[in-house]
Amino acid sequence: MALQCCYGGSTIQTLKLASIPSTAPLSSSAICSPFKTLTITPSAHLIKALSSPAAVVDSTTTHVVKPQWKAAIDFKSIVENKSAVAENLKNRNSTASLELVIELYERLLQLQKEVEDLRFERNTVANKMKGKVEPLERQRLIEEGKNLKEKLVTLEEDLIKLTDALQREAQCIPNMTHPDAPIGGEDSSTIRKTVGTPRDFTFSIKDHVQIGKELDLFDFDAAAEVSGSKFYYLKNEAVLLEMGLINWTLSEVMKRGFIPLTTPEIARSLVVEKCGFQPRGDNTQVYSIEGSDQCLIGTAEIPVGGIHMDSILADSSLPIKYVAFSHCFRTEAGAAGAATRGLYRVHQFSKVEMFILCRPEESNAYHEELIGIEEELFSKLGLHFKTLDMATEDLGAPAYRKYDIEAWMPGLGRYGEISSASNCTDYQSRRLGIRYRPESSTSPPTNTKKSKGRNLSPPEFVHTLNATACAVPRMLVCLLENYQQEDGSVVIPEPLRPFMGGIELITPKSN
């Protein structure tokens, strides 16, 4: 079972462009007020949910933002598995209110029945007026129909408000968790595998910042003047190394049946949200473009996830495997200190991302395939790394299970994350509306609307998985620090040389 949700938030990280107005009003609506027709005594939580503004408030106005989309959340499953969901929230250290979600859902069912009953009464009155009716009786039926219509309008308005309130709360519930995932914070994550050993240096080790300066590979100072902190210019062989890493990674992953893509690097906010990212909030990692409903992507997972949004895929087309190259943009809010020195944590970088859409019963196997590809890539580059099974509090809302790979960075004197692989089960597909129609022995698969009368299987939500094949800046850190030589040069790993014009060594430039 996988339950679906999204993040809430309160503020917006904006990217101000010269051509965009200085004010950025959000989509807004009137603040929801308490229901007038409640027939049960609401709890304090329910009153708060129904009378509070929507999840996101524009601080420059008194308007609020209603949910712009609805996730296909399995509320029945939440109710039937209340204890398991509550335990999952506890293990993930989630602040979502399960009690409020259930209370809102039960009230929604009650209100839906009231609306259905009123519609039946209204139709009954309308049918009575179709025949021969005495004038006095007709007038009475007209008045009765008018009263029923007014009551129905009120109830339907309340139903819309309640549906929005339920979505706001339920979208905060994270995905369920794999039973083997370690419980606790990041320190509780367990090591699945260790590859290689740290290199034994016989000379004083430099970090990548010093190496890059001496070999004329980076320019952080000029980038800071042009764009701000945590930006950089790559120069000389560093440019070839980035391009070599990207092309080598694409070629290796394509051998395994992945379709190569380049993607848009701006996405609509709703697509970002549906993928489980938080475009609004005090510590958002997303740049939102002021005056629009668009964001810069933080990963190709977002535009690739949106390719098949609101579609029903043929069973025979699964699995669909993509490997996408894009530039990525992250605010890195709250990041500071030595751990962010140089290329380790930056606002803009190049990345190659793997993404799979598959049948539900296959997602665990494809998760193992993804982490296997990552481990093979990094092994071929001669890196020393460890694969971690991440603990529940470090999964993020979309992930059912997540593996991280941390490589040894001798110049920094520690392991650093270079990749992750996540199985998001149907968390993203329930938001994005990506389904498939299972083939059955009694009915051939079809994607057309000309199948009326055929015994088709009902569509089901696909499972989605994503994994980082190559995050360029972190890979540059690893390669420069692990392959540095005593004379100041850096050896290029053999697999990358054909993709760099045969360069085997980066040497110091002559003055």
Side-chain angles (χ1 to χ4, degrees):
M1 177 187 65
L3 307 179
Q4 284 62 45
C5 80
C6 80
Y7 298 102
S10 58
T11 61
I12 297 178
Q13 174 73 36
T14 56
L15 177 67
K16 297 185 178 180
L17 304 179
S19 60
I20 295 176
S22 59
T23 57
L26 301 173
S27 300
S28 59
S29 64
I31 296 177
C32 296
S33 59
F35 291 148
K36 302 173 183 177
T37 57
L38 291 177
T39 58
I40 61 173
T41 302
S43 70
H45 287 299
L46 182 58
I47 293 174
K48 181 179 179 181
L50 301 182
S51 61
S52 64
V56 182
V57 181
D58 180 353
S59 60
T60 64
T61 72
T62 57
H63 294 152
V64 297
V65 182
K66 291 177 64 177
Q68 297 300 301
W69 53 275
K70 291 180 173 62
I73 298 172
D74 190 348
F75 291 106
K76 184 178 178 181
S77 180
I78 292 176
V79 174
E80 292 177 349
N81 298 277
K82 179 179 178 180
S83 297
V85 176
E87 184 68 16
N88 185 57
L89 294 177
K90 178 183 176 182
N91 291 341
R92 285 177 175 255
N93 197 25
S94 172
T95 58
S97 175
L98 176 60
E99 291 184 0
L100 178 55
V101 169
I102 293 176
E103 190 172 356
L104 287 168
Y105 176 61
E106 291 175 345
R107 173 58 186 141
L108 180 69
L109 295 179
Q110 179 181 339
L111 194 57
Q112 285 175 338
K113 186 178 185 306
E114 292 176 18
V115 169
E116 291 172 1
D117 290 345
L118 269 182
R119 286 173 179 166
F120 178 80
E121 289 183 43
R122 185 186 64 176
N123 291 337
T124 300
V125 170
N127 289 331
K128 287 180 180 180
M129 295 178 64
K130 291 180 180 178
K132 188 175 181 180
V133 182
E134 294 294 329
L136 289 178
E137 177 64 11
R138 178 176 294 277
Q139 186 60 38
R140 188 191 67 79
L141 290 173
I142 290 174
E143 290 298 321
E144 184 179 356
K146 183 179 178 181
N147 291 335
L148 288 172
K149 181 179 179 181
E150 291 175 353
K151 291 180 180 178
L152 187 58
V153 168
T154 301
L155 281 182
E156 287 175 339
E157 289 176 352
D158 290 348
L159 189 61
I160 292 172
K161 294 175 185 177
L162 183 55
T163 301
D164 287 344
L166 178 59
Q167 279 287 324
R168 286 197 303 269
E169 298 299 329
Q171 287 175 11
C172 294
I173 297 179
N175 202 347
M176 295 300 286
T177 307
H178 192 286
D180 294 338
I183 296 174
E186 184 177 2
D187 293 341
S188 299
S189 300
T190 57
I191 298 177
R192 277 174 44 105
K193 186 177 184 179
T194 300
V195 175
T197 57
R199 177 183 167 189
D200 185 16
F201 289 88
T202 59
F203 56 89
S204 180
I205 302 173
K206 304 171 186 175
D207 69 8
H208 70 282
V209 177
Q210 184 177 355
I211 295 170
K213 183 177 180 180
E214 293 177 358
L215 295 178
D216 196 23
L217 300 178
F218 316 135
D219 193 334
F220 293 101
D221 294 335
E225 291 295 326
V226 172
S227 302
S229 63
K230 295 183 182 149
F231 287 93
Y232 57 95
Y233 287 99
L234 294 184
K235 300 170 63 178
N236 299 312
E237 291 92 344
V239 177
L240 302 181
L241 187 52
E242 169 166 318
M243 298 304 168
L245 277 166
I246 293 167
N247 288 318
W248 174 73
T249 302
L250 286 171
S251 68
E252 288 293 310
V253 177
M254 287 169 59
K255 293 175 185 177
R256 295 161 174 82
F258 285 71
I259 301 168
L261 293 174
T262 60
T263 74
E265 292 172 358
I266 292 178
R268 297 186 184 278
S269 298
L270 67 86
V271 179
V272 176
E273 293 173 357
K274 287 180 179 182
C275 288
F277 295 90
Q278 182 180 357
R280 304 174 180 89
D282 293 335
N283 292 313
T284 181
Q285 296 298 311
V286 179
Y287 284 106
S288 293
I289 301 176
E290 189 172 351
S292 78
D293 67 341
Q294 297 171 313
C295 303
L296 301 184
I297 64 168
T299 170
E301 173 189 345
I302 295 167
V304 177
I307 289 177
H308 299 289
M309 185 167 58
D310 299 323
S311 63
I312 299 178
L313 305 172
D315 192 359
S316 59
S317 70
L318 298 178
I320 301 175
K321 300 179 179 181
Y322 292 115
V323 56
F325 166 75
S326 75
H327 296 102
C328 305
F329 305 86
R330 300 184 185 180
T331 69
E332 297 297 351
T340 64
R341 175 174 165 81
L343 292 173
Y344 189 80
R345 197 176 298 279
V346 291
H347 290 310
Q348 175 184 338
F349 59 95
S350 303
K351 183 159 72 78
V352 178
E353 184 81 2
M354 297 180 287
F355 194 93
I356 295 178
L357 302 97
C358 69
R359 302 173 189 88
E361 65 272 17
E362 299 172 340
S363 65
N364 285 331
Y366 284 120
H367 195 201
E368 295 301 319
E369 177 180 323
L370 287 173
I371 193 63
I373 292 173
E374 291 177 335
E375 291 172 344
E376 184 177 346
L377 291 173
F378 304 142
S379 295
K380 286 183 176 181
L381 292 177
L383 300 181
H384 163 51
F385 61 87
K386 57 184 180 181
T387 304
L388 303 174
D389 192 354
M390 301 309 292
T392 51
E393 292 181 22
D394 202 49
L395 291 178
Y400 173 68
R401 194 176 196 180
K402 182 164 76 97
Y403 300 138
D404 278 4
I405 292 182
E406 295 183 354
W408 178 246
M409 301 176 178
L412 296 179
R414 62 180 180 85
Y415 289 93
E417 180 187 342
I418 60 171
S419 181
S420 67
S422 298
N423 181 0
C424 297
T425 61
D426 59 356
Y427 178 97
Q428 293 176 326
S429 63
R430 283 181 175 270
R431 291 176 169 74
L432 293 164
I434 308 175
R435 297 178 292 169
Y436 79 104
R437 194 181 299 280
E439 293 181 0
S440 66
S441 57
T442 58
S443 58
T446 179
N447 277 332
T448 71
K449 295 182 179 179
K450 299 179 181 180
S451 56
K452 187 175 181 180
R454 302 172 73 180
N455 185 26
L456 296 177
S457 301
E460 299 177 13
F461 289 100
V462 301
H463 279 196
T464 63
L465 304 95
N466 63 84
T468 304
C470 178
V472 170
R474 301 277 176 95
M475 295 304 297
L476 293 179
V477 173
C478 287
L479 295 178
L480 294 177
E481 293 188 358
N482 281 286
Y483 283 94
Q484 61 181 296
Q485 305 299 304
E486 188 172 8
D487 63 0
S489 62
V490 174
V491 174
I492 300 299
E494 189 170 341
L496 299 179
R497 294 173 187 175
F499 296 87
M500 294 181 61
I503 295 176
E504 299 181 5
L505 195 69
I506 303 176
T507 58
K509 312 295 183 294
S510 59
N511 292 329

